[in-house]
Amino acid sequence: MAISNTVDTGFRPALARLAADGRIRVFTGEADPHLEIAALMKKLDGQETLLFPKVRGHDAAVVGNLLSSRENCESAFARDFRGIRESISQALGSPMAPKVVERAPVHEVVETSGIDLGKTLPALFHAPKDGGRYVTSGILVAQDPETGIYNASYHRLQLIGPDTFAVKLDFGRHLRLAFERAQKQGRNLPVAICIGADLALHFTAATMGSQMPENLDELAVAGGLAGRPLSVVKAKTIDLMVPAECEYVLEGEISASDVHMEGPFGEFVGFAAPPADAPVLKVKALTRRARPIYHAINGFGRETIMLRKYVLEASLLKVLRAAVPIVTDAEMTAGGLHRFHAILQVNKQGAHHEGLQRNAMLAAFGALKDLDMVIVVDDDIDIRDPADVEYALATRMEASSDVIVIPEARGHEYVRISRNGVRAKLGIDATVPAGEKARFSRVSFAPVEVTAGMFAEGGEAMKGLL
């Protein structure tokens, strides 16, 4: 089912829930957007959301590490991770067309001349060797010039002038395709950069590959995830509908001909992407709330990969449950950047299920191109406990027969050990042979409940015994 209609997935309501749940840590001093904020975000990565109310040189507050942990995601969406995952899966098949409104919070302040992005946006200088200041949480919304379908996706933006960005457009992405179609028509591509958008749009923008085909309107999918149509409003200077409840929307065009050197910048794999020519995006209007909150994401930070974790797990389970019904759960692991490694849990009921665990392994590789390692375990193993998964490897995996290597397969080109994305994929079968569950069962203990006050500090008691 979709997110409950009683849960508002808007940016500010989500922040309010995080605050109520004690999931926001507030910086008490004046924070420097040059290196300091990003460094603090990395130091405290995977913990609470960070709020910087006072930012040097800027009036806007900065929020970081917003969705950098399971706890933050569950608080922000008011659902457990399984509910989030199921909602994503359902939203892909149940889009809701956006609702057009006349007035929008993001139009409280409108600037169409004298735009100075460096002064208005507390865009961070993330790492000492970066090429400059970057907007990293911007969701670029565009309408394909041929199909008319709306696309929403993340792309890093390097500030190169008062009203100008260099935009990184990876090949194979839908926005790149729309840009190339506009180029062939000899015209610029209108785009809107949305910062501080509805969280449903954040998760939708992170969906890629076969689960988000080109003909699927991503604003409508975001509505399906939110459980209500996304409110959109006519942009001020470009022919585009834009989300109405963002903190900022920057309206502009990607030039069909102009390029600029972009980078280096730290990517999610931990390496700095080298400098390279990138298209130029010229901003024509800056619209915002009267007192905006700026959302920052570290390129090499947990929020970058957490945004795709539940999306990828939902996509993986949708494929696997249809192809191999004995699959009960999946976990894209943190060490694999929630992208490259997966643990699959299966429930083999008898000899007729033997071998299906390996079918699941192969189906997983087919479902997610970037997967490089899949470990399959039984349903008595906690796939979210690395120690329990390693226990399965230690006691149920025979290396001479349970390790499967698929050479020369396609993965992600950012993995430097690969050959431009080509590398071997590894499958490990750590399941108990069918019919032998009893022989491999672990010792169980009597059920007990631990209650408050059952145990006390041991200092005084030990004094009486020693």
Side-chain angles (χ1 to χ4, degrees):
M1 59 182 176
I3 299 293
S4 168
N5 288 327
T6 62
V7 177
D8 188 342
T9 56
F11 187 73
R12 293 194 173 203
L15 286 175
R17 285 191 292 274
L18 284 159
D21 291 342
R23 297 301 307 173
I24 294 183
R25 189 183 298 190
V26 182
F27 188 73
T28 57
E30 183 183 63
D32 192 340
H34 184 80
L35 301 179
E36 182 183 28
I37 292 179
L40 288 168
M41 288 167 60
K42 186 60 182 175
K43 187 75 172 180
L44 301 172
D45 209 3
Q47 300 181 38
E48 296 93 342
T49 295
L50 300 180
L51 176 64
F52 302 90
K54 299 177 183 178
V55 179
R56 187 169 302 167
H58 298 276
D59 293 330
V62 171
V63 65
N65 294 358
L66 175 62
L67 300 172
S68 65
S69 67
R70 168 178 157 181
E71 293 81 5
N72 288 2
C73 291
E74 292 183 336
S75 174
F77 277 100
R79 302 175 74 86
D80 67 17
F81 74 93
R82 288 185 174 86
I84 296 172
R85 210 165 59 180
E86 185 64 23
S87 295
I88 292 168
S89 181
Q90 293 297 322
L92 294 171
S94 306
M96 293 187 183
K99 175 185 177 182
V100 179
V101 297
E102 295 297 322
R103 311 182 90 178
V106 78
H107 285 167
E108 289 175 352
V109 177
V110 177
E111 300 176 22
T112 56
S113 62
I115 294 170
D116 191 331
L117 299 171
K119 288 183 179 180
T120 306
L121 300 177
L124 305 187
F125 200 115
H126 290 252
K129 294 184 179 180
D130 283 355
R133 295 171 64 189
Y134 273 84
V135 170
T136 48
S137 68
I139 298 171
L140 273 63
V141 172
Q143 189 174 24
D144 189 282
E146 290 186 7
T147 67
I149 301 296
Y150 271 81
N151 171 258
S153 51
Y154 291 97
H155 299 270
R156 67 175 187 256
L157 299 153
Q158 182 179 344
L159 188 59
I160 59 173
D163 59 356
T164 313
F165 292 109
V167 54
K168 174 66 172 175
L169 293 183
D170 289 332
F171 289 95
R173 302 281 301 279
H174 291 165
L175 184 60
R176 180 83 197 197
L177 182 59
F179 168 67
E180 290 173 347
R181 286 171 173 167
Q183 271 187 318
K184 288 180 181 178
Q185 296 174 8
R187 62 188 185 94
N188 301 335
L189 179 69
V191 294
I193 303 164
C194 307
I195 302 171
D198 191 298
L199 296 195
L201 185 60
H202 278 272
F203 271 53
T204 301
T207 308
M208 299 186 300
S210 62
Q211 293 306 309
M212 189 62 76
E214 186 190 352
N215 63 355
L216 202 54
D217 185 312
E218 293 178 43
L219 297 184
V221 173
L225 178 54
R228 55 175 172 75
L230 204 66
S231 295
V232 295
V233 67
K234 184 74 171 62
K236 295 293 185 179
T237 60
I238 57 177
D239 186 17
L240 211 61
M241 303 304 296
V242 299
E245 298 182 16
C246 298
E247 297 296 305
Y248 301 85
V249 168
L250 313 180
E251 302 175 8
E253 294 181 339
I254 302 177
S255 171
S257 56
D258 295 339
V259 296
H260 191 281
M261 188 64 67
E262 185 272 336
F265 184 74
E267 271 288 355
F268 75 98
V269 288
F271 308 123
D277 281 340
V280 170
L281 194 164
K282 190 84 166 180
V283 174
K284 302 172 69 174
L286 187 156
T287 72
R288 60 178 176 84
R289 288 178 179 262
R291 297 186 62 191
I293 302 170
Y294 181 83
H295 179 201
I297 297 178
N298 264 346
F300 179 43
R302 291 192 58 79
E303 184 167 4
T304 301
I305 56 177
M306 279 297 296
L307 279 167
R308 292 198 167 97
K309 171 179 168 61
Y310 299 128
V311 170
L312 291 176
E313 287 178 0
S315 300
L316 186 59
L317 284 170
K318 186 175 182 180
V319 171
L320 292 180
R321 285 171 173 164
V324 191
I326 68 167
V327 173
T328 57
D329 205 353
E331 167 77 4
M332 304 290 291
T333 66
L337 302 179
H338 300 309
R339 189 158 182 166
F340 301 131
H341 297 167
I343 314 296
L344 305 184
Q345 187 183 70
V346 299
N347 180 14
K348 290 190 286 186
Q349 292 294 312
H352 62 294
H353 283 160
E354 189 60 65
L356 286 178
Q357 74 275 13
R358 300 196 180 193
N359 288 22
M361 186 188 300
L362 297 173
F365 286 133
L368 300 181
K369 170 187 72 70
D370 293 344
L371 264 185
D372 290 324
M373 183 175 75
V374 174
I375 300 173
V376 189
V377 298
D378 296 292
D379 60 348
D380 66 325
I381 298 294
D382 182 353
I383 62 174
R384 290 171 187 87
D385 180 355
D388 213 29
V389 173
E390 191 171 351
Y391 169 84
L393 294 175
T395 64
R396 302 178 181 187
M397 184 268 293
E398 167 50 52
S400 65
S401 58
D402 290 330
V403 175
I404 297 97
V405 177
I406 304 170
E408 298 294 302
R410 169 59 63 179
H412 198 290
E413 61 275 11
Y414 284 2
V415 178
R416 290 187 176 179
I417 199 65
S418 71
R419 193 176 70 257
N420 294 322
V422 176
R423 68 182 300 199
K425 294 187 183 290
L426 175 66
I428 301 177
D429 183 353
T431 63
V432 170
E436 295 194 38
K437 278 190 174 183
R439 190 165 74 90
F440 282 83
S441 63
R442 291 179 275 187
V443 173
S444 60
F445 293 83
V448 293
E449 182 179 356
V450 178
T451 59
M454 181 180 288
F455 293 94
E457 294 294 328
E460 291 301 317
M462 287 304 298
K463 287 179 182 178
L465 295 174
L466 297 177

